[in-house]
Amino acid sequence: MMKFGVSTFLWTSPFTTASFDLLYKVKEMGFDIIELAIERKDEMDWPLLKKMVKETGLEVTVSGAIGPGRDISSTDPGIREQGVQYIIDCINIAREMDSPVFGGPLYSAVGKCRVVSPEQKKQEREWCVENLKRVGKVAEFHGVTLGVEPLNRFETDMINTADQAIALIREVGMASVKLQLDTFHGNIEEKNIPDTIRKAGDLICHIQGNESDRGTPGTGNLDWTGIRDALYEIKYDGAIVIETFGDVSEEIAKAASIWRPLANSSDELAREGLRFYKELFKQP
C-alpha cells in the first residue's frame, strides 16, 4: 500500500522544538509520514523528537531548505563547503530519524535564476557534480538516498526537468543519488507527468504530490489518474507527501513565490488532500 505524508512546511517555518506538537495533529489526521523540513537544525531537540515519533508511530522523511548560504555550486568556495556540510548534517538527521531519503534541490540555491556564460555554467555544474559525489558517499555509508528534485524555471536556472535531473544523476554515477519528483514543478516544466514517471522508473526515490497551484490535491488541473497509473506501472512503493506552504518565513515566501493563502486553512488542505489521496489509491 502507498504511504502518505505531509510536510511541516504546511504549518510552520522554521520547524523547531516549539512546533513538535504538530506530530500529534498529523497522526490524528491519519497520515503515515511527517516530512521534516530542515531549516535550523540547532533549534530542534532531536532526542525529544525521536521519542515523539516513536510514540505516535509516524514515519519520517527529511527534506532540505537550500538557501543562498547552502549552495554547492556557488562561485564562493566557502558557501560550497557550507552547502556540503548542510547536506551531510541532513544525511545524519535522516539516519537518526530512520528516513530513507533526504531530498530537495541539492544542486543549487532556490531562487538562483540568472543568465550566465557557458563557461560559468559549465564550472558551476562541475562543482555541483564534485560535491554531489562527496555527499553521495556519505549517504551511501549511512544507507540514505539523496533525492535530486527539479524545480520550475522561476526557482532555479540549473535543473528544471526530470531529464536534466537524470542527466545530472548519471553524471554523478552513484546508487545513493536518485530522483525526487514534485508534481507542482512537473506541471510547469514537463510535457506529460505520467510519461515522465514511466521514463524515470526506478530512479524515482520520493514523490511530493502537490497540486498545480500548490493548493489542495485534487482541486487543480493535474492528471492525477494518469499519475497514479504511472506509479503503479513502475511499481513505485515510496512515499507520496504533500509539500506546500502555510505560515512561511520571509525567505521561503520569496524563494517559492508564495504571496497568498493556498487554502482556507492548513488543516483543511491536509485533511482534504489526504482524503483525495486515499480515494485516488483506493485505500481505507
Side-chain angles (χ1 to χ4, degrees), residues 256-268:
S257 297
I258 304 296
W259 313 121
R260 60 178 175 81
L262 299 170
N264 292 328
S265 72
S266 295
D267 286 4
E268 179 184 290

mmCIF file with all atom_site columns, all heavy atoms in Angstrom, residues 256-268:
data_model
loop_
_atom_site.group_PDB
_atom_site.id
_atom_site.type_symbol
_atom_site.label_atom_id
_atom_site.label_alt_id
_atom_site.label_comp_id
_atom_site.label_asym_id
_atom_site.label_entity_id
_atom_site.label_seq_id
_atom_site.pdbx_PDB_ins_code
_atom_site.Cartn_x
_atom_site.Cartn_y
_atom_site.Cartn_z
_atom_site.occupancy
_atom_site.B_iso_or_equiv
_atom_site.pdbx_formal_charge
_atom_site.auth_seq_id
_atom_site.auth_comp_id
_atom_site.auth_asym_id
_atom_site.auth_atom_id
_atom_site.pdbx_PDB_model_num
ATOM 1   N N   . ALA A 1 256 ? 9.880   30.700 -2.977 1.00 0.00 ? 256 ALA A N   1
ATOM 2   C CA  . ALA A 1 256 ? 8.833   29.887 -3.609 1.00 0.00 ? 256 ALA A CA  1
ATOM 3   C C   . ALA A 1 256 ? 7.685   30.727 -4.178 1.00 0.00 ? 256 ALA A C   1
ATOM 4   O O   . ALA A 1 256 ? 6.720   30.182 -4.690 1.00 0.00 ? 256 ALA A O   1
ATOM 5   C CB  . ALA A 1 256 ? 8.270   28.889 -2.598 1.00 0.00 ? 256 ALA A CB  1
ATOM 6   N N   . SER A 1 257 ? 7.813   32.052 -4.089 1.00 0.00 ? 257 SER A N   1
ATOM 7   C CA  . SER A 1 257 ? 6.791   32.983 -4.602 1.00 0.00 ? 257 SER A CA  1
ATOM 8   C C   . SER A 1 257 ? 5.410   32.677 -4.034 1.00 0.00 ? 257 SER A C   1
ATOM 9   O O   . SER A 1 257 ? 4.433   32.491 -4.760 1.00 0.00 ? 257 SER A O   1
ATOM 10  C CB  . SER A 1 257 ? 6.761   32.947 -6.141 1.00 0.00 ? 257 SER A CB  1
ATOM 11  O OG  . SER A 1 257 ? 7.995   33.394 -6.672 1.00 0.00 ? 257 SER A OG  1
ATOM 12  N N   . ILE A 1 258 ? 5.338   32.612 -2.706 1.00 0.00 ? 258 ILE A N   1
ATOM 13  C CA  . ILE A 1 258 ? 4.064   32.385 -2.016 1.00 0.00 ? 258 ILE A CA  1
ATOM 14  C C   . ILE A 1 258 ? 3.547   33.733 -1.529 1.00 0.00 ? 258 ILE A C   1
ATOM 15  O O   . ILE A 1 258 ? 4.054   34.307 -0.557 1.00 0.00 ? 258 ILE A O   1
ATOM 16  C CB  . ILE A 1 258 ? 4.239   31.430 -0.818 1.00 0.00 ? 258 ILE A CB  1
ATOM 17  C CG1 . ILE A 1 258 ? 4.866   30.112 -1.273 1.00 0.00 ? 258 ILE A CG1 1
ATOM 18  C CG2 . ILE A 1 258 ? 2.911   31.183 -0.116 1.00 0.00 ? 258 ILE A CG2 1
ATOM 19  C CD1 . ILE A 1 258 ? 4.040   29.310 -2.227 1.00 0.00 ? 258 ILE A CD1 1
ATOM 20  N N   . TRP A 1 259 ? 2.528   34.267 -2.202 1.00 0.00 ? 259 TRP A N   1
ATOM 21  C CA  . TRP A 1 259 ? 2.034   35.611 -1.892 1.00 0.00 ? 259 TRP A CA  1
ATOM 22  C C   . TRP A 1 259 ? 0.584   35.627 -1.414 1.00 0.00 ? 259 TRP A C   1
ATOM 23  O O   . TRP A 1 259 ? 0.042   36.682 -1.139 1.00 0.00 ? 259 TRP A O   1
ATOM 24  C CB  . TRP A 1 259 ? 2.153   36.505 -3.136 1.00 0.00 ? 259 TRP A CB  1
ATOM 25  C CG  . TRP A 1 259 ? 3.478   36.430 -3.822 1.00 0.00 ? 259 TRP A CG  1
ATOM 26  C CD1 . TRP A 1 259 ? 3.714   36.056 -5.116 1.00 0.00 ? 259 TRP A CD1 1
ATOM 27  C CD2 . TRP A 1 259 ? 4.770   36.714 -3.270 1.00 0.00 ? 259 TRP A CD2 1
ATOM 28  N NE1 . TRP A 1 259 ? 5.056   36.091 -5.398 1.00 0.00 ? 259 TRP A NE1 1
ATOM 29  C CE2 . TRP A 1 259 ? 5.733   36.497 -4.288 1.00 0.00 ? 259 TRP A CE2 1
ATOM 30  C CE3 . TRP A 1 259 ? 5.209   37.132 -2.008 1.00 0.00 ? 259 TRP A CE3 1
ATOM 31  C CZ2 . TRP A 1 259 ? 7.093   36.687 -4.091 1.00 0.00 ? 259 TRP A CZ2 1
ATOM 32  C CZ3 . TRP A 1 259 ? 6.569   37.312 -1.812 1.00 0.00 ? 259 TRP A CZ3 1
ATOM 33  C CH2 . TRP A 1 259 ? 7.494   37.100 -2.839 1.00 0.00 ? 259 TRP A CH2 1
ATOM 34  N N   . ARG A 1 260 ? -0.046  34.463 -1.336 1.00 0.00 ? 260 ARG A N   1
ATOM 35  C CA  . ARG A 1 260 ? -1.451  34.395 -0.952 1.00 0.00 ? 260 ARG A CA  1
ATOM 36  C C   . ARG A 1 260 ? -1.711  33.080 -0.240 1.00 0.00 ? 260 ARG A C   1
ATOM 37  O O   . ARG A 1 260 ? -0.950  32.124 -0.411 1.00 0.00 ? 260 ARG A O   1
ATOM 38  C CB  . ARG A 1 260 ? -2.357  34.488 -2.186 1.00 0.00 ? 260 ARG A CB  1
ATOM 39  C CG  . ARG A 1 260 ? -2.112  33.351 -3.186 1.00 0.00 ? 260 ARG A CG  1
ATOM 40  C CD  . ARG A 1 260 ? -3.044  33.408 -4.378 1.00 0.00 ? 260 ARG A CD  1
ATOM 41  N NE  . ARG A 1 260 ? -2.717  32.397 -5.373 1.00 0.00 ? 260 ARG A NE  1
ATOM 42  C CZ  . ARG A 1 260 ? -3.082  31.122 -5.316 1.00 0.00 ? 260 ARG A CZ  1
ATOM 43  N NH1 . ARG A 1 260 ? -3.801  30.689 -4.283 1.00 0.00 ? 260 ARG A NH1 1
ATOM 44  N NH2 . ARG A 1 260 ? -2.755  30.275 -6.274 1.00 0.00 ? 260 ARG A NH2 1
ATOM 45  N N   . PRO A 1 261 ? -2.783  33.021 0.555  1.00 0.00 ? 261 PRO A N   1
ATOM 46  C CA  . PRO A 1 261 ? -3.134  31.733 1.166  1.00 0.00 ? 261 PRO A CA  1
ATOM 47  C C   . PRO A 1 261 ? -3.465  30.714 0.078  1.00 0.00 ? 261 PRO A C   1
ATOM 48  O O   . PRO A 1 261 ? -4.119  31.032 -0.919 1.00 0.00 ? 261 PRO A O   1
ATOM 49  C CB  . PRO A 1 261 ? -4.378  32.068 2.004  1.00 0.00 ? 261 PRO A CB  1
ATOM 50  C CG  . PRO A 1 261 ? -4.330  33.548 2.209  1.00 0.00 ? 261 PRO A CG  1
ATOM 51  C CD  . PRO A 1 261 ? -3.674  34.110 0.987  1.00 0.00 ? 261 PRO A CD  1
ATOM 52  N N   . LEU A 1 262 ? -3.033  29.471 0.281  1.00 0.00 ? 262 LEU A N   1
ATOM 53  C CA  . LEU A 1 262 ? -3.238  28.426 -0.715 1.00 0.00 ? 262 LEU A CA  1
ATOM 54  C C   . LEU A 1 262 ? -4.481  27.585 -0.434 1.00 0.00 ? 262 LEU A C   1
ATOM 55  O O   . LEU A 1 262 ? -4.850  26.745 -1.243 1.00 0.00 ? 262 LEU A O   1
ATOM 56  C CB  . LEU A 1 262 ? -1.992  27.540 -0.780 1.00 0.00 ? 262 LEU A CB  1
ATOM 57  C CG  . LEU A 1 262 ? -0.720  28.289 -1.199 1.00 0.00 ? 262 LEU A CG  1
ATOM 58  C CD1 . LEU A 1 262 ? 0.516   27.417 -1.006 1.00 0.00 ? 262 LEU A CD1 1
ATOM 59  C CD2 . LEU A 1 262 ? -0.808  28.760 -2.648 1.00 0.00 ? 262 LEU A CD2 1
ATOM 60  N N   . ALA A 1 263 ? -5.099  27.802 0.716  1.00 0.00 ? 263 ALA A N   1
ATOM 61  C CA  . ALA A 1 263 ? -6.340  27.107 1.085  1.00 0.00 ? 263 ALA A CA  1
ATOM 62  C C   . ALA A 1 263 ? -6.981  27.910 2.215  1.00 0.00 ? 263 ALA A C   1
ATOM 63  O O   . ALA A 1 263 ? -6.398  28.870 2.726  1.00 0.00 ? 263 ALA A O   1
ATOM 64  C CB  . ALA A 1 263 ? -6.045  25.680 1.536  1.00 0.00 ? 263 ALA A CB  1
ATOM 65  N N   . ASN A 1 264 ? -8.203  27.516 2.602  1.00 0.00 ? 264 ASN A N   1
ATOM 66  C CA  . ASN A 1 264 ? -8.853  28.203 3.724  1.00 0.00 ? 264 ASN A CA  1
ATOM 67  C C   . ASN A 1 264 ? -8.039  28.065 5.001  1.00 0.00 ? 264 ASN A C   1
ATOM 68  O O   . ASN A 1 264 ? -8.008  28.978 5.831  1.00 0.00 ? 264 ASN A O   1
ATOM 69  C CB  . ASN A 1 264 ? -10.261 27.647 3.936  1.00 0.00 ? 264 ASN A CB  1
ATOM 70  C CG  . ASN A 1 264 ? -11.200 28.000 2.801  1.00 0.00 ? 264 ASN A CG  1
ATOM 71  O OD1 . ASN A 1 264 ? -11.081 29.062 2.183  1.00 0.00 ? 264 ASN A OD1 1
ATOM 72  N ND2 . ASN A 1 264 ? -12.126 27.107 2.496  1.00 0.00 ? 264 ASN A ND2 1
ATOM 73  N N   . SER A 1 265 ? -7.383  26.916 5.170  1.00 0.00 ? 265 SER A N   1
ATOM 74  C CA  . SER A 1 265 ? -6.510  26.696 6.318  1.00 0.00 ? 265 SER A CA  1
ATOM 75  C C   . SER A 1 265 ? -5.562  25.553 5.999  1.00 0.00 ? 265 SER A C   1
ATOM 76  O O   . SER A 1 265 ? -5.850  24.720 5.133  1.00 0.00 ? 265 SER A O   1
ATOM 77  C CB  . SER A 1 265 ? -7.319  26.369 7.574  1.00 0.00 ? 265 SER A CB  1
ATOM 78  O OG  . SER A 1 265 ? -7.866  25.067 7.489  1.00 0.00 ? 265 SER A OG  1
ATOM 79  N N   . SER A 1 266 ? -4.455  25.512 6.714  1.00 0.00 ? 266 SER A N   1
ATOM 80  C CA  . SER A 1 266 ? -3.508  24.410 6.539  1.00 0.00 ? 266 SER A CA  1
ATOM 81  C C   . SER A 1 266 ? -4.149  23.082 6.922  1.00 0.00 ? 266 SER A C   1
ATOM 82  O O   . SER A 1 266 ? -3.943  22.060 6.255  1.00 0.00 ? 266 SER A O   1
ATOM 83  C CB  . SER A 1 266 ? -2.259  24.659 7.377  1.00 0.00 ? 266 SER A CB  1
ATOM 84  O OG  . SER A 1 266 ? -1.566  25.805 6.917  1.00 0.00 ? 266 SER A OG  1
ATOM 85  N N   . ASP A 1 267 ? -4.932  23.085 8.004  1.00 0.00 ? 267 ASP A N   1
ATOM 86  C CA  . ASP A 1 267 ? -5.589  21.850 8.441  1.00 0.00 ? 267 ASP A CA  1
ATOM 87  C C   . ASP A 1 267 ? -6.530  21.320 7.370  1.00 0.00 ? 267 ASP A C   1
ATOM 88  O O   . ASP A 1 267 ? -6.563  20.113 7.085  1.00 0.00 ? 267 ASP A O   1
ATOM 89  C CB  . ASP A 1 267 ? -6.365  22.080 9.741  1.00 0.00 ? 267 ASP A CB  1
ATOM 90  C CG  . ASP A 1 267 ? -5.467  22.221 10.959 1.00 0.00 ? 267 ASP A CG  1
ATOM 91  O OD1 . ASP A 1 267 ? -4.226  22.219 10.793 1.00 0.00 ? 267 ASP A OD1 1
ATOM 92  O OD2 . ASP A 1 267 ? -6.013  22.328 12.072 1.00 0.00 ? 267 ASP A OD2 1
ATOM 93  N N   . GLU A 1 268 ? -7.295  22.220 6.771  1.00 0.00 ? 268 GLU A N   1
ATOM 94  C CA  . GLU A 1 268 ? -8.247  21.794 5.738  1.00 0.00 ? 268 GLU A CA  1
ATOM 95  C C   . GLU A 1 268 ? -7.505  21.223 4.537  1.00 0.00 ? 268 GLU A C   1
ATOM 96  O O   . GLU A 1 268 ? -7.897  20.184 3.987  1.00 0.00 ? 268 GLU A O   1
ATOM 97  C CB  . GLU A 1 268 ? -9.114  22.975 5.295  1.00 0.00 ? 268 GLU A CB  1
ATOM 98  C CG  . GLU A 1 268 ? -10.115 22.623 4.203  1.00 0.00 ? 268 GLU A CG  1
ATOM 99  C CD  . GLU A 1 268 ? -10.890 23.823 3.711  1.00 0.00 ? 268 GLU A CD  1
ATOM 100 O OE1 . GLU A 1 268 ? -11.733 24.332 4.495  1.00 0.00 ? 268 GLU A OE1 1
ATOM 101 O OE2 . GLU A 1 268 ? -10.652 24.256 2.562  1.00 0.00 ? 268 GLU A OE2 1
#
